[in-house]
Amino acid sequence: MYTDSRQWTALDALDILREQLTISNDAAFERVSGGIEFEVFRVSARGRDPFIIKFPGTRWIINDNDRDLDSFQLMDQERRLIGFSHEHGIPAPRVLAYPEAGSFPVLAMEIIDADDLPLLAGELGRMTRRLHLLRPPEISTVAQRGRSPSDVVAQLTVERLKVVEQLSGVGGAVPTESTLREMLGPIDADVRLLHMDLRRGNYLSRDGQITGLIDWSNAMIANPVLELARLVEYGEFSNGFAAGYEITQREAATLSGEAGLACSLYTAAMLAVVFLSEAPDPELAAIKVERVKELLTQFG
């Protein structure tokens, strides 16, 4: 049985999966990655192709960016959005097994052939546009907690700016939650499924083309300007991206307007907190804090 406070390991995950998959007792596993929320291992077992397992180390995620997120809900969301991707032609790994509701959530997935070559010009933009053209699934994403995009983004931005001030000593005038909510009104209209973490670690590629989108923990149902602003802050919104995305004049105007400014502040504050607290890096933290200060000067 699982408990909310238990720390889980790869051996625990394999034991759960043996209820659905034949896995030899001498299976070997190698840690591929691990972040704030989940662990990822490559498993090699006699009689079957190697595969990937993903599971939470513990149930509740509590840090300076997120409070009381349920990792079990995030894992179920990942499974559902991988399925949605497959149904709509968005590349994603095939799910091999996932326990029944009420069990500890372990996602077993196929390994997608990938390399480290850079993406072809415009490839990330084209894939992002494909995602944003889809009618969104009937799902309430964990990140939104059943609320409107403008409401949750405004609240999290103010909360994270307070953390930035506490940890960096850098203060200044901060827009109120109500001001941000009003500025963010456009993200509540014409909503789409947004991945919200489209960086190199979260997509797989081969010969310059994306072969799989992974890690849907930050997904939201909102207007695409929210994701475009995040990509600006990630440094991914290049001329090549814009050409591949085929950004319209209207979208560009929204991105450069007050809604885009508020969306950029949302991501900039998140990144500053990451490098100040969750994955401390003094050099990157200084850069991200300066970016927050720069954006705040643009608020009237």
Side-chain angles (χ1 to χ4, degrees), residues 8-237:
W8 291 80
T9 69
L11 286 174
D12 297 319
L14 288 181
D15 284 343
I16 295 291
L17 286 175
R18 285 191 172 97
E19 298 174 6
Q20 293 181 284
L21 296 177
T22 301
I23 304 173
S24 59
N25 290 329
D26 60 350
F29 49 89
E30 175 187 3
R31 189 171 187 263
V32 175
S33 65
I36 296 169
E37 300 153 357
F38 301 104
E39 294 290 332
V40 180
F41 285 79
R42 175 190 173 101
V43 179
S44 300
R46 283 185 292 107
R48 64 179 318 118
D49 292 334
F51 59 95
I52 292 290
I53 60 171
K54 179 176 181 177
F55 61 92
T58 189
R59 179 157 193 174
W60 297 104
I61 299 167
I62 303 173
N63 55 57
D64 285 325
N65 260 321
D66 298 297
R67 302 297 175 92
D68 298 325
L69 285 183
D70 188 342
S71 67
F72 287 19
Q73 291 181 3
L74 287 173
M75 285 296 300
D76 190 60
Q77 173 177 285
E78 179 95 353
R79 175 189 61 83
R80 294 176 66 185
L81 291 181
I82 286 176
F84 175 83
S85 299
H86 277 291
E87 291 172 9
H88 294 85
I90 302 296
R94 182 168 59 94
V95 173
L96 302 177
Y98 187 79
E100 295 181 2
S103 297
F104 177 72
V106 184
L107 194 59
M109 298 172 284
E110 68 174 344
I111 294 176
I112 292 180
D113 189 25
D115 58 36
D116 295 325
L117 294 175
L119 293 181
L120 297 173
E123 173 68 6
L124 183 58
R126 287 188 290 272
M127 183 59 64
T128 306
R129 174 60 90 182
R130 283 175 60 187
L131 178 64
H132 291 174
L133 285 174
L134 299 176
R135 183 186 299 274
E138 295 293 329
I139 183 174
S140 177
T141 69
V142 177
Q144 283 178 243
R145 307 183 188 220
R147 297 157 59 193
S148 69
S150 62
D151 189 36
V152 71
V153 169
Q155 179 185 340
L156 287 174
T157 300
V158 170
E159 290 178 355
R160 290 166 179 173
L161 288 173
K162 291 178 181 177
V163 174
V164 172
E165 181 176 3
Q166 293 168 359
L167 297 179
S168 71
V170 174
V174 173
T176 64
E177 192 173 320
S178 60
T179 295
L180 287 171
R181 190 181 302 112
E182 183 176 351
M183 294 174 68
L184 289 161
I187 71 172
D188 294 338
D190 192 19
V191 298
R192 295 290 187 267
L193 173 63
L194 313 182
H195 183 280
M196 290 302 291
D197 203 10
L198 287 173
R199 52 190 174 83
R200 185 56 181 166
N202 289 336
Y203 57 79
L204 305 169
S205 64
R206 182 76 181 176
D207 298 327
Q209 296 183 306
I210 293 175
T211 55
L213 295 185
I214 57 176
D215 195 349
W216 291 87
S217 294
N218 293 334
M220 295 184 71
I221 307 293
N223 186 278
V225 70
L226 183 62
E227 180 134 78
L228 297 180
R230 173 147 295 188
L231 289 163
V232 169
E233 298 304 314
Y234 278 9
E236 295 283 1
F237 196 93

